[in-house]
Amino acid sequence: MAKRTYQSGLEKFNRTSNGINAVFTLIFILMAIACVVPVIVVLSISLTDESYIRETGYSILPTALSADAYAYIAKQGTMILRALGVSLLVTVVGTVLGVLLTTTMGYVISRPGYKLKNFLTWVVFIPMVFNGGLVSSYFINTNFLGLKNSVWALILPLAVSSFNVIICKTFFRSTIPDGLTESAEIDGASQFRTFFSIILPISLPVLATIGLFLCFGYWNDWFQSMLYIDNQNLYSLQALLNSLMSNADALARNSISMGISFAELVATMPKESARMAVAILIVLPVACAYPFFQRYFITGLTIGAVKG
């Protein structure tokens, strides 16, 4: 009877009134609108005639429909496809490598019997508060590692983050029982065999969470290209969009190879709508992929945040 009374006392703290639910629902609706409206505006601009944009400005719904921006991007097939290939390569390789490095490190420092786990935990935690700064990282990546104008300059600097390692460490410590690894050791399994054959298959939520973080980070990154890439053949879609946003003539740099004069290309370029069309091309793959990872993403975050 006392137990039932205790549970009833806890349940009242988990209940919310209809008014509070209505307030939360309204807040979530407003937040959803704040996220969706900018995408609709960008899509609208990409489908609007360039001359109409110059005369009237931006609008939520396109009035003068035109597919000139997408037609123009299709004509720049070589440059767009090359940038898309770089983005896909960096995202896929970086995500796989980052998940492998992050989960292995998180698993190592989560094991209670590992003697250096406290030291390595501090090594991982300190960069979350202090870091060496941009100058030191640039010097190491260019002069020491020689990553200038290399695809690895877009992959390695973002492969491991302290935040992701802490998530993995917390997940493994709070979810994987010690008896599971001990039984594997008794059966003669090595640490690598235990990790890859036993731990990873039952850790899909944290794998999807870290993979989604890394995938979004790599796909949306343009800053690494600005720092380390001078060769336009290694530009990603995001770096190309950044060039378009800062310099409307970026698409015209290949005019000689296309057999079109610079002046003619600039005069006929749908500048604003082309920029927004490239933005839509960048957002579309992520928007399509996220629903497939959402269930694991939410599970991984909540499980990893239960215990410190």
Side-chain angles (χ1 to χ4, degrees):
M1 188 67 174
K3 183 177 181 181
R4 181 177 302 175
T5 304
Y6 175 72
Q7 290 178 347
S8 300
L10 289 179
E11 288 176 358
K12 72 177 182 180
F13 291 105
N14 294 327
R15 291 195 300 264
T16 57
S17 63
N18 293 333
I20 297 298
N21 281 333
V23 171
F24 283 144
T25 302
L26 179 61
I27 292 174
F28 291 143
I29 290 175
L30 294 176
M31 293 175 63
I33 293 175
C35 294
V36 172
V37 168
V39 178
I40 295 176
V41 172
V42 171
L43 179 62
S44 173
I45 297 171
S46 69
L47 294 173
T48 303
D49 185 77
E50 185 72 19
S51 60
Y52 184 84
I53 295 176
R54 287 195 294 265
E55 293 175 1
T56 63
Y58 300 155
S59 61
I60 295 180
L61 297 178
T63 303
L65 288 174
S66 175
D68 291 344
Y70 294 95
Y72 180 81
I73 289 177
K75 292 179 182 179
Q76 319 302 319
T78 302
M79 183 169 55
I80 297 296
L81 289 178
R82 182 171 60 239
L84 177 62
V86 172
S87 292
L88 290 175
L89 175 65
V90 169
T91 301
V92 172
V93 175
T95 300
V96 173
L97 180 63
V99 169
L100 179 62
L101 295 176
T102 303
T103 52
T104 50
M105 191 169 188
Y107 174 73
V108 167
I109 63 178
S110 70
R111 295 301 89 197
Y114 184 55
K115 296 181 179 180
L116 296 178
K117 72 181 185 68
N118 291 330
F119 170 74
L120 292 179
T121 300
W122 280 106
V123 170
V124 171
F125 175 75
I126 289 175
M128 294 181 64
V129 184
F130 307 101
N131 62 73
L134 182 60
V135 175
S136 59
S137 62
Y138 181 83
F139 177 82
I140 291 175
N141 290 328
T142 56
N143 292 5
F144 186 72
L145 298 178
L147 298 180
K148 185 72 172 180
N149 282 322
S150 170
V151 174
W152 291 108
L154 306 178
I155 296 175
L156 295 181
L158 303 179
V160 178
S161 103
S162 298
F163 178 73
N164 292 341
V165 174
I166 294 299
I167 288 180
C168 287
K169 182 243 184 184
T170 306
F171 179 88
F172 289 134
R173 189 72 198 114
S174 61
T175 306
I176 307 300
D178 295 336
L180 188 62
T181 57
E182 291 173 358
S183 62
E185 292 177 3
I186 293 175
D187 292 337
S190 63
Q191 291 292 341
F192 283 102
R193 180 66 181 273
T194 301
F195 179 70
F196 288 104
S197 300
I198 299 177
I199 303 302
L200 287 187
I202 61 177
S203 303
L204 290 181
V206 75
L207 293 179
T209 301
I210 301 303
L212 200 62
F213 280 153
L214 290 170
C215 184
F216 285 177
Y218 279 114
W219 184 258
N220 294 322
D221 178 66
W222 58 269
F223 188 65
Q224 306 300 320
S225 297
M226 186 187 73
L227 287 179
Y228 304 114
I229 302 300
D230 295 329
N231 185 1
Q232 291 185 12
N233 292 331
L234 295 179
Y235 272 11
S236 63
L237 272 178
Q238 294 71 23
L240 180 62
L241 177 61
N242 181 59
S243 297
L244 288 173
M245 298 300 291
S246 60
N247 183 5
D249 298 333
L251 282 177
R253 293 176 181 173
N254 290 346
S255 58
I256 297 177
S257 62
M258 292 185 296
I260 305 175
S261 66
F262 181 87
E264 180 183 353
L265 188 62
V266 172
T268 59
M269 180 190 302
K271 297 185 177 89
E272 292 298 325
S273 56
R275 293 174 183 176
M276 301 306 171
V278 174
I280 291 296
L281 292 179
I282 292 174
V283 171
L284 191 60
V286 175
C288 294
Y290 181 77
F292 298 98
F293 292 92
Q294 183 179 11
R295 177 167 62 91
Y296 293 112
F297 177 70
I298 295 176
T299 303
L301 280 182
T302 54
I303 292 179
V306 170
K307 297 180 182 179

